[in-house]
Amino acid sequence: MEGCGFRRPRPSANHAPCPSSRLLMSEEVWPAGGSVAVVPSGVRSQEAGKPGVQDTLRRSRMSEEQTGQSEGSSQAGGVTVSDIQELIRRKEEIEAQIKANYDVLESQKGVGMSEPLVDCEGYPRSDVDLYQVRTARHNIVCLQNDHKAVMKQVEEALHQLHARDKEKQARDMAEAHKEAMSRNLDQSEGLSPPQAFAKVNSISPGSPASIAGLQVDDEIVEFGSVNTQNFQSLHNIGNVVQHSEGKPLNVTVIRRGEKHQLRLVPTRWAGKGLLGCNIIPLQR
């Protein structure tokens, strides 16, 4: 290996692998002067049988894929608050994993993300667990990328949710405005006098019309069952009168802009007809 610019570490008590690390390595090669390169063939974690950081990362990846699938389905039907809460939970989970890996580095003589893992002679340090340090550094880089991706998803989801809320608010305001306009229109129609279809042209004194309170120039909007919608000619009023002799009729008139309700009883009297008044149609 020396002919290739690499050398195997010299066996000594100072550079022996830490017994607590339980690293089973078939071969290790180190550059003559630079960072450490390790090619493990049988690495086992410190606690065999228990999930290590790699297992946690693998589960995190699977959880992220599931989150991505749920995001796709939620975007198809619109982002919900529960979707954003799930993304925030995922973000907090990644942050907790990043902190746990930084705690591992801190427990190894305060080794950070860039501190060399070889001594001044280029040999691997024996005062730290190299496997734990490299694993923690690798996990931190991966988790930081995951954290960045989740934060982007949270931002996009919030934008979609806010945009949808604005659209819903605009629709609600438009519907409320439309309803208010319709209500105001109904009220204005209710306040405005109904359209008259006939007018009292003359009244004979002592006649049933005079007794009922009809006056000349009263505009008729309702005469028994005849109203503005079904009035066609004076024959309609004549038919109602003929079939209502001796029976009271509700008559609604507009007099000087005010509505008046009268009770007219068609009866035979000394004069001509059953009403004693002359009614003419209005031009519509």
Side-chain angles (χ1 to χ4, degrees):
M1 299 297 288
E2 293 181 358
C4 298
F6 295 85
R7 57 180 177 175
R8 185 182 299 276
R10 294 174 297 180
S12 66
N14 295 332
H15 297 88
C18 179
S20 63
S21 64
R22 297 185 184 177
L23 298 178
L24 303 178
M25 311 181 67
S26 60
E27 57 180 52
E28 293 183 346
V29 291
W30 312 92
S35 60
V36 180
V38 182
V39 185
S41 63
V43 180
R44 289 177 171 80
S45 61
Q46 279 189 316
E47 296 178 320
K50 295 184 179 180
V53 181
Q54 289 288 357
D55 296 327
T56 304
L57 179 60
R58 192 157 42 248
R59 289 197 305 270
S60 302
R61 297 283 191 184
M62 294 175 60
S63 176
E64 183 179 0
E65 292 176 359
Q66 295 174 356
T67 303
Q69 294 175 357
S70 63
E71 276 295 301
S73 60
S74 64
Q75 290 178 0
V79 178
T80 62
V81 176
S82 60
D83 295 331
I84 297 178
Q85 291 176 344
E86 175 63 22
L87 287 174
I88 293 177
R89 185 200 64 78
R90 170 75 181 128
K91 176 188 75 73
E92 294 174 349
E93 178 182 305
I94 294 176
E95 290 173 350
Q97 294 177 11
I98 292 175
K99 181 180 182 303
N101 282 276
Y102 269 114
D103 290 341
V104 172
L105 296 181
E106 184 66 25
S107 67
Q108 297 295 320
K109 304 292 183 180
V111 175
M113 292 293 294
S114 58
E115 186 174 343
L117 299 182
V118 295
D119 57 19
C120 59
E121 297 181 0
Y123 292 102
R125 293 174 56 175
S126 60
D127 59 336
V128 295
D129 189 328
L130 299 180
Y131 174 73
Q132 277 196 350
V133 173
R134 292 193 193 95
T135 302
R137 286 179 174 179
H138 172 75
N139 291 343
I140 289 173
V141 172
C142 294
L143 289 169
Q144 285 175 342
N145 292 334
D146 295 342
H147 185 270
K148 182 178 179 180
V150 170
M151 289 301 298
K152 184 178 180 180
Q153 291 178 354
V154 171
E155 182 179 0
E156 293 176 351
L158 287 174
H159 282 313
Q160 293 181 21
L161 186 62
H162 291 164
R164 190 182 62 190
D165 289 343
K166 287 183 179 179
E167 292 177 358
K168 183 178 182 300
Q169 184 178 5
R171 289 196 303 269
D172 292 343
M173 290 182 63
E175 292 177 358
H177 179 71
K178 183 178 179 180
E179 183 179 354
M181 292 293 292
S182 177
R183 184 165 53 250
N184 292 336
L185 181 61
D186 293 340
Q187 291 177 355
S188 63
E189 291 179 351
L191 294 176
S192 62
Q195 186 178 2
F197 58 86
K199 178 181 178 181
V200 178
N201 190 38
S202 63
I203 297 179
S204 300
S207 65
S210 176
I211 295 173
L214 278 175
Q215 297 181 11
V216 176
D217 292 333
D218 280 352
E219 295 182 350
I220 302 174
V221 297
E222 183 180 7
F223 194 100
S225 60
V226 182
N227 52 44
T228 305
Q229 283 72 29
N230 59 22
F231 175 78
Q232 296 178 349
S233 66
L234 292 178
H235 291 291
N236 301 125
I237 296 179
N239 291 333
V240 171
V241 172
Q242 291 297 328
H243 290 85
S244 301
E245 181 177 355
K247 301 176 183 178
L249 292 175
N250 293 323
V251 179
T252 304
V253 299
I254 300 298
R255 182 180 302 162
R256 292 183 289 275
E258 296 181 358
K259 183 187 295 187
H260 293 268
Q261 298 283 347
L262 306 175
R263 289 177 64 84
L264 174 61
V265 181
T267 55
R268 299 187 180 275
W269 63 295
K272 184 179 179 181
L274 298 177
L275 297 180
C277 67
N278 183 26
I279 298 175
I280 60 175
L282 291 176
Q283 296 294 332
R284 292 188 295 173

